[in-house]
Amino acid sequence: MKTIIAEKPSVAKEIARIIGADKRKDGYIEGNGYAVTWAYGHLIQLAMPDSYGVRGFAKECLPIIPETFTLLPRQVKTDSGYKADVTVTKQIKTIAHLFNDSERIIVATDAGREGELIFRYLYQHLDCHTPFDRLWISSHTDKAIRDGLDNICDGHKYDNLYFAAKARSEADWLVGINATQAISIAAARGTYSLGRVQTPTLAMICKRYYDNEQFTPETYWQLHFIIERDGGNGRKTKAEHSVRFTSAERWTDKTVADETFNKVSASGKAIITDVERKESREEAPLLYDLTALQKEANRRYGFTAEQTLGIAQELYEKKLITYPRTGSRYIPEDVYEGIPKLLSFLKEFPNRSNNVPAPRELTRRGVDDSKVTDHHALLVTGVKPLFLSSRNQTVYDMIAYRMAETFSPDCVRDITTVTADCEGTLFRTRGNRLKQAGWRRITGNDDSETGGQADRDVLLPDWQKGDVLTFPAVSITEGKTKAKPLHTEATLLAAMENCGKETEDETLRTAMKDCGIGTPATRAAIIETLFTRGYVTRQKKLLVPTEKGLALYSVVKSKLIADVRMTGEWEKELARIERGELSADTFRTHIEQYTSDITSELLSCGSLFTQRTTDCACPKCGKGMMQFYGKVVRCDNADCGLPVFRQKAGRMFSDDEIKDLLTSGRTKLLKGFKSKQGKSFDAVVVFDSEFNTQFEFPEKGKKTGGKQRKI
């Protein structure tokens, strides 16, 4: 008898049906010489510190670095502590019995790092020695499973994948356990959770929050004039709209802007100095990997990363799409051979039939064997998507449309840029004419990760260099520079993928992916952990750090544990282990040293959780000095004790903002306050005569003297 072990019961049932096993037993299905059983995700986990004799949080026990890790059945948390999960224990006994009675094991857990670890931890915990093979598939269609069973290989072919998975698991334990205990001991109150990937991710959210809050907008002015449809010189034109020219320069000095406005207005005409016409070819976007799918689903539909992953997993288990936890946006040559058939399949459905490319039009965009990792990019499978929920249908359509887009021809436009000079000031306008819609005809809109416009032409007159344009009036507009907005899950996923570096260049993004933090399969869980820990909240699509998250960030932001690039390097090293280029023992040595370093560094952070003496005198009594605590700043004069709380109306004040208030009695105009109705507002915070804090709302055009409201 052979035993096949799947990751979930639903997958086991599909495999059992295909191989002809139809006798239901307790914890497995038997028949035709096979027993098909299943896990419930991770049945086995790394033991907690008390298994190594370390109970509670004790400074003298840190760092905790087991010589050999102990594996235990998954536990559940109860009121009296952690206890074995009865369902898990029972299933492990069933699996142990089947493994020991089998001549061979076929591993059918998900074909990836975590799927490999699920089996290997179980195999190691049971001290099993039955030989095992690997079923490696990217789809759950009947054909894919049959082909996979016809091509199973020795399980040890994937040893390097296991070594990488094991190294990741142990590294997360070492860093997470020791960092959490060290920072909690330093704080001397409460428990703070830190992690190898979790903490750098929190740091990126908090840094963006502070950058946004502390950004000072800069006012600028630009000039514009409009040329009517006759071209401004009596020449008839095919332009469908009036043409708006905008000054190439933006002025930050209002006096200069006004002087330029007066000169241009007095002239009333401009001379065309340059007409540049060129063809622009826009390649189709690449196929989705999981992260790209999560980013766009969040941007377009507001789905969280976890929701998108869950939907994709459901579609996979319904055999509708290929393996979702992929980090590749390419497919290999042999898969490309089936693309024409899949595109023909899309034409069978009315809402997906429009403009699907014909076989003769197909491009090879996204086909590259060298860029395919464990799994190729996301594709639909050819199984009809029937009776899907609206959300599942939405994600399915995204994958289907993207497949059609990727293999469609380029989008081609004629781009015209016209430059005109008026009294030494240059003005520009831009037009475009769509020559070939290409991949943009698939959906007929511009709502994709590449932006752009699908079908709207902006035609310009047939202007030539030297033409004189006349205009009746000039306008001047005032604008302000804007801070980078708070992270959404889409932008955070991109930052995690690119190790905090932001780039729009697809080639550069791909090159940087090996240095990202987390993996496509784990990033959603990391983000959800930040919500669970109470470090971050959602405000519509925006990710906003809580007081607790900001307080923790203020302590660890300059520490090794929050270094996003270093964490990215660890991910790169794990990928090298997977490829057989680095020993797992070498990685373990590095992680152990890193663990010792961060433990020592975090244990020394105690002073950051207690009061900090500053040079700020108490504005009320003039005798004491203001002491900075985590949630309050307080005068150390016992007869005074003036408190200034760090949080007001849902907003946390930075040290610099508190210092402004203490030294001058007022802050700058601050953004990000929330009313009781949940509406955002900006205000200056000031002291009243009793040194209570109040909001002041400056009137437009005035810097001070606005209305006040006590808070």
Side-chain angles (χ1 to χ4, degrees):
M1 182 186 76
K2 293 181 179 180
T3 293
I4 300 176
I5 180 167
E7 191 164 318
K8 294 181 178 180
S10 59
V11 179
K13 290 176 185 177
E14 290 299 318
I15 295 174
R17 177 180 58 80
I18 288 170
I19 64 175
D22 55 6
K23 296 177 183 176
R24 297 298 300 268
K25 302 287 185 177
D26 190 6
Y28 65 102
I29 307 171
E30 192 176 52
N32 203 23
Y34 290 94
V36 185
T37 188
W38 52 84
Y40 297 105
H42 282 279
L43 294 177
I44 304 297
Q45 63 185 19
L46 297 178
M48 297 304 285
D50 57 3
S51 294
Y52 308 100
V54 180
R55 289 176 172 78
F57 290 11
K59 183 176 181 180
E60 60 273 14
C61 294
L62 299 182
I64 306 166
I65 302 179
E67 184 174 341
T68 302
F69 278 92
T70 300
L71 296 175
L72 291 177
R74 190 173 74 213
Q75 297 180 312
V76 292
K77 191 174 184 179
T78 67
D79 293 338
S80 57
Y82 284 93
K83 293 185 177 180
D85 185 320
V86 175
T87 302
V88 166
T89 302
K90 180 180 178 182
Q91 187 64 9
I92 290 173
K93 287 181 180 179
T94 299
I95 293 170
H97 168 72
L98 294 172
F99 280 7
N100 290 332
D101 288 352
S102 296
E103 62 186 72
R104 207 156 185 92
I105 300 166
I106 298 176
V107 183
T109 51
D110 281 359
R113 191 189 284 178
E114 290 308 301
E116 192 69 22
L117 192 64
I118 285 170
F119 167 72
R120 296 292 188 112
Y121 269 177
L122 181 61
Y123 190 79
Q124 180 182 340
H125 174 71
L126 296 176
D127 193 25
C128 183
H129 299 282
T130 305
F132 62 92
D133 295 315
R134 192 59 159 102
L135 173 67
W136 192 268
I137 56 176
S138 290
S139 169
H140 280 167
T141 63
D142 290 9
K143 181 180 184 303
I145 294 173
R146 289 193 178 100
D147 289 347
L149 289 168
D150 289 340
N151 293 280
I152 60 173
C153 57
D154 189 299
H156 291 291
K157 175 183 175 182
Y158 296 94
D159 280 353
N160 287 334
L161 181 65
Y162 163 58
F163 296 149
K166 181 172 179 284
R168 192 280 309 158
S169 176
E170 293 176 355
D172 283 348
W173 191 100
L174 288 168
V175 174
I177 292 292
N178 285 286
T180 294
Q181 292 205 12
I183 197 69
S184 299
I185 290 169
R189 61 182 188 277
T191 301
Y192 292 86
S193 171
L194 298 180
R196 185 180 62 89
V197 180
Q198 169 191 323
T199 304
T201 304
L202 174 64
M204 288 191 290
I205 295 172
C206 291
K207 183 179 185 304
R208 176 64 66 85
Y209 175 83
Y210 276 129
D211 287 347
N212 182 277
E213 289 296 304
Q214 296 168 7
F215 179 79
T216 302
E218 184 178 43
T219 304
Y220 63 86
W221 292 266
Q222 279 185 291
L223 303 184
H224 316 271
F225 63 77
I226 293 176
I227 301 300
E228 301 300 336
R229 291 183 59 183
D230 67 357
N233 55 7
R235 179 184 297 167
K236 296 298 181 183
T237 174
K238 295 180 181 179
E240 297 179 1
H241 305 282
S242 298
V243 181
R244 177 184 171 95
F245 281 78
T246 298
S247 59
E249 186 176 356
R250 300 195 311 189
W251 295 275
T252 56
D253 187 323
K254 183 63 162 59
T255 301
V256 175
D258 286 340
E259 290 174 353
T260 308
F261 171 83
N262 292 333
K263 284 197 302 181
V264 172
S265 184
S267 172
K269 62 182 179 180
I271 300 174
I272 293 178
T273 58
D274 185 57
V275 179
E276 180 185 16
R277 296 182 175 91
K278 63 180 181 180
E279 183 181 86
S280 172
R281 304 187 71 87
E282 185 183 12
E283 283 189 309
L286 290 170
L287 296 163
Y288 287 125
D289 64 2
L290 177 59
T291 301
L293 180 70
Q294 289 170 318
K295 287 191 295 186
E296 192 153 345
N298 178 256
R299 186 182 66 82
R300 291 170 62 179
Y301 304 110
F303 294 174
T304 69
E306 185 178 51
Q307 286 172 337
T308 301
L309 174 57
I311 292 168
Q313 185 68 26
E314 284 185 43
L315 295 174
Y316 172 61
E317 292 175 10
K318 291 178 181 291
K319 311 179 187 180
L320 298 176
I321 65 170
T322 56
Y323 186 69
R325 290 175 169 83
T326 176
S328 176
R329 302 189 71 175
Y330 293 85
I331 60 172
E333 292 286 345
D334 61 332
V335 174
Y336 180 65
E337 294 172 4
I339 292 299
K341 184 177 179 180
L342 288 176
L343 292 176
S344 296
F345 158 75
L346 292 184
K347 292 183 178 181
E348 298 177 20
F349 298 88
N351 63 326
R352 283 184 286 278
S353 62
N354 294 338
N355 305 318
V356 172
R360 67 178 183 279
E361 296 179 297
L362 294 186
T363 69
R364 298 181 61 80
R365 175 77 165 149
V367 183
D368 190 333
D369 288 76
S370 68
K371 294 180 180 178
V372 177
T373 51
D374 294 333
H375 298 281
H376 59 67
L378 278 161
L379 300 172
V380 298
T381 61
V383 174
K384 291 184 178 181
L386 303 176
F387 310 114
L388 296 182
S389 68
S390 60
R391 285 192 168 191
N392 287 24
Q393 186 71 61
T394 294
V395 173
Y396 179 88
D397 285 346
M398 288 176 66
I399 296 168
Y401 281 135
R402 176 52 56 86
M403 185 179 72
E405 287 176 337
T406 297
F407 300 108
S408 294
D410 294 349
C411 176
V412 183
R413 291 186 178 91
D414 283 331
I415 304 296
T416 302
T417 303
V418 178
T419 304
D421 181 290
C422 178
E423 298 297 325
T425 299
L426 296 182
F427 290 79
R428 290 195 178 95
T429 193
R430 191 170 182 261
N432 74 76
R433 181 177 68 86
L434 187 67
K435 291 178 65 175
Q436 173 182 295
W439 63 271
R440 287 199 175 276
R441 74 186 180 189
I442 302 300
T443 59
N445 62 46
D446 64 349
D447 197 13
S448 74
E449 66 187 71
T450 58
Q453 294 177 339
D455 53 14
R456 190 177 69 194
D457 288 348
V458 180
L459 301 179
L460 297 181
D462 186 23
W463 283 322
Q464 303 295 325
K465 184 176 180 179
D467 282 353
V468 177
L469 308 178
T470 59
F471 47 87
V474 180
S475 62
I476 184 168
T477 58
E478 177 183 313
K480 290 183 182 294
T481 55
K482 295 181 179 179
K484 290 180 180 178
L486 300 184
H487 272 304
T488 63
E489 288 199 35
T491 62
L492 181 62
L493 286 166
M496 294 175 75
E497 184 179 37
N498 301 323
C499 211
K501 300 174 185 176
E502 297 180 17
T503 175
E504 298 300 321
D505 184 84
E506 176 63 42
T507 302
L508 186 56
R509 280 206 307 265
T510 301
M512 287 161 51
K513 284 178 71 171
D514 282 345
C515 289
I517 62 172
T519 66
T522 61
R523 287 172 188 142
I526 292 297
I527 295 172
E528 288 301 316
T529 296
L530 297 177
F531 295 119
T532 302
R533 304 294 188 201
Y535 294 152
V536 178
T537 61
R538 287 188 183 94
Q539 290 182 8
K540 296 183 178 178
K541 287 186 180 182
L542 299 179
L543 304 181
V544 182
T546 63
E547 178 186 353
K548 183 179 179 182
L550 290 171
L552 182 60
Y553 171 68
S554 69
V555 174
V556 303
K557 63 182 178 183
S558 61
K559 309 303 180 190
L560 289 172
I561 187 70
D563 188 339
V564 63
R565 287 176 176 79
M566 179 174 288
T567 306
E569 286 298 317
W570 293 135
E571 297 289 353
K572 186 177 181 181
E573 298 297 273
L574 290 169
R576 290 184 62 203
I577 295 173
E578 198 169 312
R579 295 193 297 267
E581 299 170 1
L582 179 70
S583 161
D585 289 339
T586 300
F587 178 80
R588 170 70 183 264
T589 300
H590 291 165
I591 283 288
E592 287 182 359
Q593 182 59 54
Y594 174 72
T595 299
S596 297
D597 292 342
I598 62 168
T599 301
S600 175
E601 192 175 47
L602 292 170
L603 284 171
S604 68
C605 291
S607 62
L608 299 178
F609 285 94
T610 57
Q611 75 265 32
R612 288 176 286 128
T613 302
T614 69
D615 57 359
C616 291
C618 176
K620 183 177 182 180
C621 71
K623 299 177 181 179
M625 301 299 292
M626 300 302 293
Q627 305 296 313
F628 282 56
Y629 296 83
K631 296 182 179 181
V632 69
V633 177
R634 190 183 298 277
C635 175
D636 63 4
N637 179 3
D639 295 329
C640 175
L642 171 69
V644 180
F645 294 98
R646 282 183 170 273
Q647 188 177 35
K648 302 291 181 185
R651 186 189 188 282
M652 190 77 171
F653 296 139
S654 68
D655 284 358
D656 287 341
E657 290 163 355
I658 291 286
K659 288 177 182 177
D660 285 345
L661 180 62
L662 295 174
T663 55
S664 64
R666 63 189 306 107
T667 67
K668 299 174 183 176
L669 182 65
L670 304 179
K671 301 185 297 181
F673 295 107
K674 292 288 182 182
S675 69
K676 292 180 180 179
Q677 292 73 36
K679 295 182 179 180
S680 298
F681 64 92
D682 305 340
V684 175
V685 177
V686 300
F687 282 134
D688 65 11
S689 59
E690 299 298 322
F691 291 94
N692 297 309
T693 49
Q694 292 183 334
F695 282 143
E696 182 177 280
F697 302 94
E699 297 176 12
K700 289 186 177 181
K702 295 185 180 181
K703 294 184 178 180
T704 60
K707 297 180 180 179
Q708 293 188 348
R709 178 162 61 86
K710 188 174 181 179
I711 57 173

